[in-house]
Amino acid sequence: EVQLVESGGGLVQPGGSLRLSCAGSGFTFSSYWMHWVRQAPGKGLVWVSRIKTDGSYTNYADSVKGRFTISRDNAKNTLYLQMNSLTAEDSAVYYCAGGGSGYYGSWGQGTLVTVSS
Amino acid sequence: EIVLTQSPGTLSLSPGERATLSCRASQTVSNSYFAWYQQKPGQAPRLLIYDASRRAAGIPDRFSGSGSGTDFTLTISRLEPEDFAVYYCQQYGTSQLTFGGGTKVEIK
């Protein structure tokens, strides 16, 4: 069974940093493109970033470019999202999702990030 | 960035009825790189349709997708009780992937 489990969310002050992790199991992690998608409370889905199977390609939503960094460790079956210079607008549930370069058939349960003083 | 506009915002229907959800793109979505997801309260989204019309694994055949260019449609032929949820469209034809704002299908 494919499983994706996010961790690392929590409360952080504006301007602060946070690193999210997503552990995959039950599938060949290195064969999946991986993405981060976020959802503010009561709002819709917003794509954040994606990384190619071998980590050789990444890209970001304009709203997070220059502040967030996506990476992966295929030996550990783990995806990461380093988030810097956080603002209240970054508060959301962050989902990791895996699948193709554009669409994702596998999702984690999400981790909540709250940016507040 | 391609902006996706979903309509209607809310669809009130009864079980057994047909649901037609629309999504319009602000510019042409290349290669029909278009997907639909279902999300229930407190749950992660679930992939229903990709490449505009291909059903994801395990998705019942009452769900179908169609469209090309700028206009895409998700049809649920006969609503089951478990189909009442929020549905999102998504395009992946450009490097900036985008989602629509969602259509809520509620019980009438």
Side-chain angles (χ1 to χ4, degrees), chain A residues 35 37 39 43-47 50 59-62 65 95 101-105 107-108, chain B residues 1 35 37 39 43-47 50-51 88 90 92 94-101:
Chain A
H35 303 246
V37 176
Q39 186 171 36
K43 302 296 185 182
L45 302 171
V46 177
W47 172 77
R50 65 179 171 178
N59 77 305
Y60 301 88
D62 289 341
K65 200 174 296 182
Y95 295 100
S101 61
Y103 61 89
Y104 352 104
W107 294 71
Chain B
E1 173 179 305
Y37 299 84
Q39 187 178 34
Q43 296 185 16
R46 178 173 72 142
L47 176 68
Y50 65 96
D51 292 350
Y88 294 95
Q90 181 220 3
Y92 45 97
T94 68
S95 62
Q96 292 286 299
L97 284 64
T98 51
F99 287 91

Side-chain angles (χ1 to χ4, degrees), chain A residues 40-84:
Chain A
K43 302 296 185 182
L45 302 171
V46 177
W47 172 77
V48 173
S49 181
R50 65 179 171 178
I51 186 167
K52 194 177 177 181
T53 54
D54 60 0
S56 62
Y57 173 85
T58 61
N59 77 305
Y60 301 88
D62 289 341
S63 58
V64 307
K65 200 174 296 182
R67 299 188 299 122
F68 290 13
T69 302
I70 190 172
S71 61
R72 65 191 297 164
D73 185 338
N74 286 344
K76 295 182 178 179
N77 291 344
T78 303
L79 173 73
Y80 304 99
L81 186 68
Q82 177 67 43
M83 304 186 295
N84 299 331

Side-chain angles (χ1 to χ4, degrees), chain B residues 31-92:
Chain B
N31 299 312
S32 294
Y33 284 160
F34 203 86
W36 290 92
Y37 299 84
Q38 175 194 69
Q39 187 178 34
K40 297 179 181 178
Q43 296 185 16
R46 178 173 72 142
L47 176 68
L48 300 175
I49 301 289
Y50 65 96
D51 292 350
S53 61
R54 296 178 182 270
R55 263 189 306 276
I59 301 303
D61 60 8
R62 64 180 182 272
F63 291 92
S64 63
S66 63
S68 63
T70 61
D71 290 295
F72 297 86
T73 301
L74 174 70
T75 302
I76 310 171
S77 58
R78 286 178 58 85
L79 282 165
E80 296 288 341
E82 62 268 27
D83 299 336
F84 292 93
V86 179
Y87 292 81
Y88 294 95
C89 59
Q90 181 220 3
Q91 67 80 25
Y92 45 97

